[in-house]
Amino acid sequence: MRTAVVQLRSTPDSAANLQAADRLTRAAAARGATVVLLPEKWPLLGRTGDVRAGAEPLDGPAVAWARATAAELGIDLLAGSVALRRPDGRLANTALHVAPDGRLAAAYGKLHLFDADVAGTRYRESADEDAGDRPVLSALADGTQVGLTVCYDLRFPELHRTLAAAGARILSVPAAFTERTTQAHWEVLLRSRAIENGAFVLAANQHGEHAPGIRSGGRSMIVDPWGTILAEVPDVDEGLAVADLDLDHQDVVREQLPVLRQRRADVAAALGALPEGDLAAAWRRAAPPTATPPTEEQP
């Protein structure tokens, strides 16, 4: 399976963004990619007011382009994420999978909203956006299962484990990771999600300055289940990386390191049922009687 990840520098100019996405998607297909991933909010990115003003309905121009292009090229288009406008005016940061026949195969609402403070900048996605309510798996044309995520979801390993345990062989990560967090965390998080789940990770990040003071760090990449980076976009505003996914190799990795099969669902359920912060009780329930409960000094 040949796949590609597209790196963009989206701005408030939606027409220019669509032209860039179209050009690079076609370039990926010309190189033989049958699965193409776009980054987060590729139709429009900038300050909060820009995104709010440029949000679209599900039948808007961005989704219409994605459906027509996927059908024309005969590809599975993981159309990054799009800021969709709800009837009440609130936004939903939504990842989309368009099948090779142009059908909208899946839509996933970002579960974890980016409410954080990074390098002196305060981000509050929840001020305008509503979080999704469930994980989403979708099937590519050949039946391979892909788990849909968006950007900040990358920091929540339980979501990716849930997707992998449910059958995902590929995890898609459209993102607009900040420049600072890309430099510090992006690669190690992507490789961790791949290794711990024996999964391929397709990660398409934005790059460069989208509006004054709003910058993303790029380094879009494709990672295999062993944590090896198969392909990576250089430090440019626009580019793509292409790699073949060896599903037979994935089977070998998952057989040698059968973490999904050995996963203790009972432990996961017990942890999920505990009150916030009740780590000592979790330890007592999950560990042998001779084990020592954790303390602040002994995590």
Side-chain angles (χ1 to χ4, degrees):
M1 179 189 300
R2 179 158 293 181
T3 62
V5 294
V6 171
Q7 185 162 291
L8 297 172
R9 183 182 69 86
S10 297
T11 69
D13 186 342
S14 58
N17 298 336
L18 194 149
Q19 288 177 0
D22 184 74
R23 182 175 65 255
L24 288 168
T25 298
R26 292 178 184 277
R31 292 177 59 179
T34 58
V35 180
V36 179
L37 173 66
L38 298 175
E40 180 183 21
K41 292 180 178 174
W42 63 269
L44 190 148
L45 191 57
R47 296 191 179 279
T48 300
D50 297 324
V51 175
R52 186 189 305 117
E56 303 179 9
L58 188 58
D59 60 354
V63 180
W65 167 84
R67 297 183 66 176
T69 302
E72 177 189 347
L73 300 176
I75 62 173
D76 279 289
L77 182 55
L78 301 171
S81 79
V82 178
L84 298 179
R85 186 180 304 282
R86 296 184 183 277
D88 63 0
R90 297 277 294 174
L91 307 185
N93 190 355
T94 307
L96 303 170
H97 170 211
V98 181
D101 60 2
R103 172 178 50 89
L104 184 58
Y108 160 74
K110 184 179 181 182
L111 284 173
H112 303 96
L113 301 182
F114 189 45
D115 288 358
D117 302 306
V118 178
T121 300
R122 171 168 287 193
Y123 299 88
R124 292 294 182 269
E125 286 185 340
S126 63
D128 292 278
E129 299 178 9
D130 291 331
D133 58 5
R134 59 189 173 88
V136 173
L137 273 175
S138 192
L140 301 177
D142 68 351
T144 301
Q145 296 284 311
V146 57
L148 305 183
T149 76
V150 178
C151 198
Y152 192 49
D153 285 332
L154 183 59
R155 296 184 181 273
F156 298 85
E158 63 274 15
L159 170 60
H160 300 78
R161 175 54 56 86
T162 297
L163 292 167
R169 302 190 69 158
I170 299 171
L171 301 169
S172 68
V173 186
F177 245 56
T178 71
E179 186 174 59
R180 176 75 174 273
T181 55
T182 299
Q183 293 168 351
H185 303 149
W186 175 247
E187 178 185 328
V188 69
L189 287 170
L190 292 171
R191 295 180 69 195
S192 295
R193 299 296 85 84
I195 293 167
E196 67 199 10
N197 294 298
F200 289 98
V201 173
L202 306 182
N205 198 17
Q206 294 271 3
H207 180 278
E209 188 168 59
H210 314 290
I214 308 295
R215 298 185 62 88
S216 298
R219 297 196 64 200
S220 302
M221 65 179 69
I222 300 170
V223 186
D224 81 359
W226 195 250
T228 302
I229 299 174
L230 300 178
E232 183 176 356
V233 180
D235 189 23
V236 294
D237 284 352
E238 295 184 3
L240 60 90
V242 177
D244 294 327
L245 308 191
D246 185 343
L247 299 180
D248 291 336
H249 170 65
Q250 182 180 37
D251 290 337
V252 172
V253 171
R254 286 187 165 185
E255 183 61 31
Q256 293 176 341
L257 293 170
V259 293
L260 296 178
R261 190 167 67 241
Q262 294 169 337
R263 175 174 174 262
R264 289 280 301 272
D266 59 329
V267 173
L271 290 171
L274 289 172
E276 189 75 19
D278 196 358
L279 179 58
W283 180 275
R284 287 192 294 271
R285 295 183 187 182
T290 56
T292 303
T295 66
E296 290 184 1
E297 293 75 27
Q298 178 199 322

